[in-house]
Amino acid sequence: MSWCRALLCTWCSSCPGGLGPRGAARLLTLRRLSTRPSHEVGTPGGFRPQRVAVVTKTTRYEFEQQRYRYAGLSEGELKELLALKGSSYNGLLQRHNIHSENVEHVVESLRKEGIEVRVVKRRDYDEATVRWADAIISAGGDGTMLLAASKVLDRFKPVIGVNTDPERSEGHLCLPVHYTHSFPEALRKLYRGEFRWQWRQRIRLYLEGTGINLTPVDLHEQQLSLEQHSKAHNSGGHQEQTSAAVSGPHLLPVRALNEVFIGESLSSRASYYEISVDDGPWEKQKSSGLNVCTGTGSKAWSYNINKMAPQTIEELLYIVKSHKNLNLTLDSNFIERVTNEYNNSLIFNPEEEKMFFSVREPIANRVFSSSHQRGFTSKVCVRSRCWDACMVVDGGTSFEFNDGAIVSITMDKEDSLCTVLLDD
């Protein structure tokens, strides 16, 4: 019997066209994967996962411990070493304990509801964990949320962020901070359907060209020097290096929730590349790098690249006023309103299927130009002419991007990330 007949048939195994128990299970799986989650707002029972993976961040205290673990330092010796660097051992330990207590609160809240929980450190978080879970909870800040999202390619698997140190972490991508200490309330809203799904659009990357390297370097948990970074990209043995012949395009196994940044590893060196926006003509550029962001990322690095300070707005308005003889009162309230209106125009809805590109500090002369320094786009193509460059996804995954490599930066609705917005 074909699957076409099976999809139209009833569940009864005695029927000549019936599926039987195993067939019914397969059909349920197919239906679940081919439609949106059934836990829409107002649906009885809301969203009630059976298995949840809680991905926790590595605190600065844990990082320092891991950093010197090979030296076999005692706690007292670690304390002395941190003091020499101007860091407070007691302060780091306090923040670590706050984070740990809030993680425990989330985990215990889930287990009291009969939910099976796996707690994984970010370094142990992998695709097998994602496949096991019905939902992913990131316990940390925005960086942990980005990491948790990076391995989720199933657009129907929710990812929920909990800010475990609200006093030291902004947590734009996390639930409102009061749920950090009252997570059972968030669970009740999920159960009752008092939320809506938010489908955050993400960026996909197609890499092609000569001599490309498809092996990603994970930058999480590390503060890599240029030397270490180069070794990570260029050391032999484990690299998946292609030949000098043209290769690709290859769809990279990561999706950018915030942004993609392309530039030389050494920030003082100008990045040289060619760029085409929305299949337009290629343009040679030199700059401090290129940032392409989503609506989610429009509040992050992209915003800080392009925002204007009140001082700049004030100076511009004085120039306009003097040239046009305008009768403007340039008081602080007016300048603040103009500044806020411009800066707010840089932010757009995370669910919009569009990107915003920004050329950082473009160099313009008779050879290089930047006809569009920033703007909305649906596609950006970049051909590298760089010496030691990287393409970094959400600040956590890096790909070598040197002379001859070409990347196509686009969006696809199938890559959207399922998150939740709880009702007030």
Short mmCIF file of all heavy atoms in Angstrom, two decimals, residues 13 36 70 78 89 98 200 226 235 262 278 375:
data_model
loop_
_atom_site.label_atom_id
_atom_site.label_comp_id
_atom_site.label_asym_id
_atom_site.label_seq_id
_atom_site.Cartn_x
_atom_site.Cartn_y
_atom_site.Cartn_z
N SER A 13 -6.50 -1.07 12.20
CA SER A 13 -5.59 -2.05 11.60
C SER A 13 -6.33 -3.18 10.91
O SER A 13 -5.76 -3.91 10.12
CB SER A 13 -4.68 -2.65 12.69
OG SER A 13 -5.47 -3.29 13.69
N ARG A 36 3.00 22.96 11.83
CA ARG A 36 3.47 23.71 12.99
C ARG A 36 3.15 22.95 14.27
O ARG A 36 2.29 22.06 14.27
CB ARG A 36 2.78 25.07 13.05
CG ARG A 36 3.37 26.09 12.10
CD ARG A 36 2.85 27.45 12.46
NE ARG A 36 3.59 28.50 11.78
CZ ARG A 36 3.59 29.78 12.15
NH1 ARG A 36 2.90 30.14 13.20
NH2 ARG A 36 4.27 30.67 11.49
N TYR A 70 45.42 22.14 34.10
CA TYR A 70 46.62 21.34 33.83
C TYR A 70 47.76 21.70 34.78
O TYR A 70 48.68 20.91 34.97
CB TYR A 70 47.06 21.51 32.39
CG TYR A 70 46.04 21.02 31.40
CD1 TYR A 70 45.43 21.89 30.50
CD2 TYR A 70 45.66 19.68 31.38
CE1 TYR A 70 44.48 21.43 29.59
CE2 TYR A 70 44.70 19.21 30.47
CZ TYR A 70 44.12 20.09 29.59
OH TYR A 70 43.18 19.64 28.71
N LEU A 78 44.71 29.43 43.08
CA LEU A 78 43.88 30.10 42.07
C LEU A 78 43.46 31.47 42.56
O LEU A 78 43.47 32.45 41.80
CB LEU A 78 42.65 29.25 41.76
CG LEU A 78 41.65 29.85 40.76
CD1 LEU A 78 42.30 30.08 39.40
CD2 LEU A 78 40.42 28.95 40.61
N TYR A 89 38.36 36.71 43.37
CA TYR A 89 37.98 35.31 43.52
C TYR A 89 36.61 35.19 44.17
O TYR A 89 35.74 34.44 43.69
CB TYR A 89 39.03 34.57 44.35
CG TYR A 89 38.65 33.16 44.74
CD1 TYR A 89 38.93 32.09 43.90
CD2 TYR A 89 37.99 32.90 45.95
CE1 TYR A 89 38.59 30.79 44.24
CE2 TYR A 89 37.64 31.61 46.30
CZ TYR A 89 37.94 30.57 45.46
OH TYR A 89 37.59 29.29 45.81
N ILE A 98 25.24 32.07 42.33
CA ILE A 98 23.93 32.61 41.93
C ILE A 98 23.43 31.89 40.68
O ILE A 98 22.27 31.47 40.60
CB ILE A 98 24.03 34.13 41.68
CG1 ILE A 98 24.21 34.87 43.02
CG2 ILE A 98 22.78 34.65 40.95
CD1 ILE A 98 24.49 36.35 42.85
N ARG A 200 11.70 33.19 14.96
CA ARG A 200 12.83 34.08 14.68
C ARG A 200 13.56 33.59 13.43
O ARG A 200 14.03 32.46 13.38
CB ARG A 200 13.79 34.11 15.88
CG ARG A 200 13.20 34.77 17.12
CD ARG A 200 14.21 34.76 18.26
NE ARG A 200 13.69 35.40 19.46
CZ ARG A 200 13.82 36.67 19.78
NH1 ARG A 200 14.49 37.47 18.94
NH2 ARG A 200 13.32 37.16 20.89
N LEU A 226 45.44 35.40 18.02
CA LEU A 226 45.53 35.23 16.57
C LEU A 226 46.31 33.97 16.23
O LEU A 226 45.96 33.22 15.33
CB LEU A 226 46.20 36.46 15.93
CG LEU A 226 46.43 36.38 14.41
CD1 LEU A 226 45.11 36.20 13.68
CD2 LEU A 226 47.15 37.62 13.93
N SER A 235 45.94 24.02 11.10
CA SER A 235 46.70 22.82 11.47
C SER A 235 46.23 21.64 10.65
O SER A 235 45.08 21.51 10.29
CB SER A 235 46.53 22.52 12.96
OG SER A 235 45.18 22.29 13.27
N ILE A 262 32.20 39.06 8.67
CA ILE A 262 33.32 38.69 7.81
C ILE A 262 34.40 39.74 7.93
O ILE A 262 34.13 40.94 7.78
CB ILE A 262 32.88 38.54 6.35
CG1 ILE A 262 31.89 37.38 6.20
CG2 ILE A 262 34.07 38.33 5.43
CD1 ILE A 262 31.28 37.27 4.82
N ASP A 278 21.82 41.69 -3.32
CA ASP A 278 20.60 41.37 -4.08
C ASP A 278 20.88 41.13 -5.56
O ASP A 278 20.20 41.67 -6.44
CB ASP A 278 19.54 42.47 -3.89
CG ASP A 278 18.97 42.48 -2.49
OD1 ASP A 278 18.88 41.40 -1.89
OD2 ASP A 278 18.62 43.57 -2.00
N GLY A 375 22.02 48.72 4.69
CA GLY A 375 20.68 48.64 4.12
C GLY A 375 20.07 47.26 4.27
O GLY A 375 20.76 46.29 4.61
#
